Amino acid sequence: MTRIAIVGTGFGGYTCARHLERRLRPGEAEIVLITPKDYTLYLPLLPQVAAGVLQPRSIVTPLHARLRRSMLLPGVALDVDLDGRAVNVLKIDGEPVRVPYDVLVLAPGSMTRKFDVPGLDEHVHGMKTLAEAVYLRDHAIAQLELAASTHDPDERAARCGFLVVGAGYSGVETAAALQLVTRRAMARFPHLDPGLLRWTLIDIAPKVMPELGPELGAAATRLLESRGVEVRLGVSLDRVAEATATLTDGTRMPARTVIWTAGVTPRPVVSSLGTETVKGRLVVGADLRVPGCEGVFGLGDAAAVPDLTAGPGTPCAPTAQHAHRQAKVAAENVLAALRGGRMREYRHHDLGLVVDLGGSDAVARPFGLNLEGRAAQLVTRGYHLLTTPSGRSRLRVSGDWLLNMLAPDDLIRLDFLQDSPGTLDQLEHMPVRPRSRRISVTEPVGSRP
């Protein structure tokens, strides 16, 4: 039986698998999903999990419940053997296996991009996985509790200092959501001066979220600053220690919490093909095929898909909106490759952007119309409800929003990851570890039917 291997189950991989399951004839092909998780995560609402507005399970969709004809292989794709037409995988228990394929869909998504900043691996936290969101919430509340329990002014200042690096969507939404949490939590500690709480958002770029345009970017900046978030542009992180962060302009600030959201990069499996890349993303055609690699498709954050609605040489932005729609084209083209049909090209006009700033605040640009405040929040939440992967998730998200409005968060720590350092390196960049330092990736995943 023909085997279709799909690497990744984010917006691209999951949607592609769903579409293929509906279109494949019985016995026509088998689908193997390669992913370390047994769920697909709705990333845009991750900051609301960190803020306690949504429960973690509300933004995940279980793969076993939604994909009935696909085989789930729980592991991380290490590299692709193009000559042998196989993917080398490290399973979540540390066992290496080899997965032969006839057609390969690469949608591994991305991970937070790191730079050579002293102290980054040891002290910096990320915001791209469910574990990171849950950890950051507990960590932020714990810092205020510890600040209230000490009389050392330097320690208090450091524990009440929060720094977010990266003023893109993730950074802005994270700063906005968690700043509201910590501001409310300060009321529980009457011995703490509310003026000690300090949130700083920095970015080397000259503007906040330039994709939104100058008007909405400025509106988001004004709102953050009105809440007490200091926005500093044209500067980045130079080095970080346990209780201090030093910026590239020489500023040294007390902070025991540094959150890194300075861009993303494709996962390493992408570079293993040895084909042309643009900023780490696979160069693919408008039909999503990887040039020179028969039967290999790329999409989502991992691929530089030509944007046919923009100027020549412009790739589609690495957004959920594009990944979701590219996945449907990829599925159709996989079927065309199996059946000898005609390939489709991906063409999609941007529907707009939405940014949740916590509470009743948001900025949005649906169909080119600039919105702020409650109107923008209504559009933002409506968009998220329409694009969550399942009806069950929509019900849970709606219920959590209603419950949070009627009975606000209790601001308690769950301590699920209390034994973890919670760093970007530990929670995101090393999800699976091999059983030993030297591994062999020559074992078959199993004989085909």
Side-chain angles (χ1 to χ4, degrees), residues 187-206:
R188 294 190 171 192
F189 308 106
H191 299 298
L192 274 182
D193 179 6
L196 284 174
L197 183 64
R198 180 179 181 181
W199 276 86
T200 306
L201 175 67
I202 65 173
D203 200 303
I204 197 66

Side-chain angles (χ1 to χ4, degrees), residues 162-398:
F162 298 84
L163 173 66
V164 180
V165 184
Y169 298 109
S170 179
V172 168
E173 290 189 330
T174 298
L178 283 175
Q179 191 269 345
L180 286 180
V181 171
T182 53
R183 191 176 70 180
R184 289 199 309 268
M186 287 292 281
R188 294 190 171 192
F189 308 106
H191 299 298
L192 274 182
D193 179 6
L196 284 174
L197 183 64
R198 180 179 181 181
W199 276 86
T200 306
L201 175 67
I202 65 173
D203 200 303
I204 197 66
K207 295 180 181 179
V208 170
M209 295 182 296
E211 299 88 348
L212 279 176
E215 292 183 11
L216 288 184
T221 302
R222 288 194 303 270
L223 177 68
L224 290 173
E225 291 178 336
S226 70
R227 290 185 186 170
V229 178
E230 181 184 5
V231 179
R232 302 187 59 179
L233 302 174
V235 66
S236 189
L237 186 65
D238 182 66
R239 59 185 180 276
V240 58
E242 184 178 11
T244 59
T246 304
L247 308 187
T248 51
D249 64 356
T251 302
R252 189 171 180 266
M253 60 177 58
R256 280 186 173 265
T257 306
V258 178
I259 304 170
W260 183 271
T261 63
V264 296
T265 185
R267 295 195 175 274
V269 66
V270 169
S271 61
S272 72
L273 272 69
T275 58
E276 184 181 359
T277 60
V278 175
K279 294 183 179 179
R281 303 170 72 190
L282 279 174
V283 171
V284 300
D287 58 5
L288 308 179
R289 287 187 292 184
V290 179
C293 303
E294 183 183 355
V296 180
F297 297 83
L299 65 146
D301 290 3
V305 180
D307 189 347
L308 300 183
T309 66
T314 303
C316 294
T319 63
Q321 187 178 141
H322 279 299
H324 178 77
R325 288 163 175 78
Q326 288 168 7
K328 296 180 179 180
V329 175
E332 292 296 327
N333 287 347
V334 167
L335 293 173
L338 295 179
R339 300 168 181 173
R342 182 180 178 182
M343 296 285 170
R344 286 179 52 192
E345 291 187 336
Y346 175 72
R347 184 187 297 270
H348 171 66
H349 291 277
D350 193 358
L351 299 180
L353 303 166
V354 295
V355 182
D356 193 313
L357 297 175
S360 60
D361 295 312
V363 291
R365 194 180 66 195
F367 305 104
L369 177 65
N370 289 345
L371 297 175
E372 302 177 29
R374 293 184 181 275
Q377 184 63 280
L378 182 64
V379 170
T380 297
R381 295 201 167 184
Y383 172 80
H384 288 318
L385 286 179
L386 287 173
T387 53
T388 47
S390 69
R392 181 178 296 182
S393 293
R394 296 185 191 102
L395 286 174
R396 285 178 171 165
V397 168
S398 300

Side-chain angles (χ1 to χ4, degrees), residues 407-421:
D409 179 35
D410 291 327
L411 297 172
I412 59 173
R413 289 182 290 112
L414 300 178
D415 286 338
F416 288 144
L417 296 167
Q418 61 179 343
D419 296 326
S420 168

Side-chain angles (χ1 to χ4, degrees), residues 31-150:
I31 304 171
V32 178
L33 294 174
I34 302 169
T35 173
K37 308 294 185 184
D38 64 352
Y39 58 80
T40 184
L41 173 66
Y42 188 74
L43 274 170
L45 290 178
L46 208 55
Q48 294 197 32
V49 172
V53 175
L54 298 178
Q55 297 300 312
R57 69 174 183 170
S58 297
I59 65 168
V60 300
T61 298
L63 299 177
H64 295 294
R66 301 287 290 177
L67 300 174
R68 301 302 181 95
R69 297 179 58 185
S70 303
M71 185 189 81
L72 179 64
L73 179 62
V76 175
L78 299 176
D79 58 74
V80 178
D81 178 1
L82 291 174
D83 294 331
R85 299 186 69 79
V87 183
N88 293 316
V89 179
L90 185 66
K91 294 170 64 176
I92 58 174
D93 64 352
E95 176 190 359
V97 296
R98 186 174 174 87
V99 184
Y101 68 82
D102 296 292
V103 178
L104 175 63
V105 179
L106 285 171
S110 59
M111 57 187 182
T112 304
R113 179 178 55 188
K114 298 196 302 181
F115 293 99
D116 188 18
V117 176
L120 189 146
D121 287 344
E122 295 82 8
H123 304 295
V124 169
H125 310 285
M127 177 58 95
K128 193 160 176 65
T129 68
L130 204 56
E132 287 174 322
V134 172
Y135 179 89
L136 272 176
R137 170 180 168 74
D138 284 355
H139 174 80
I141 296 173
Q143 295 313 299
L144 300 185
E145 293 175 349
L146 290 167
S149 68
T150 182

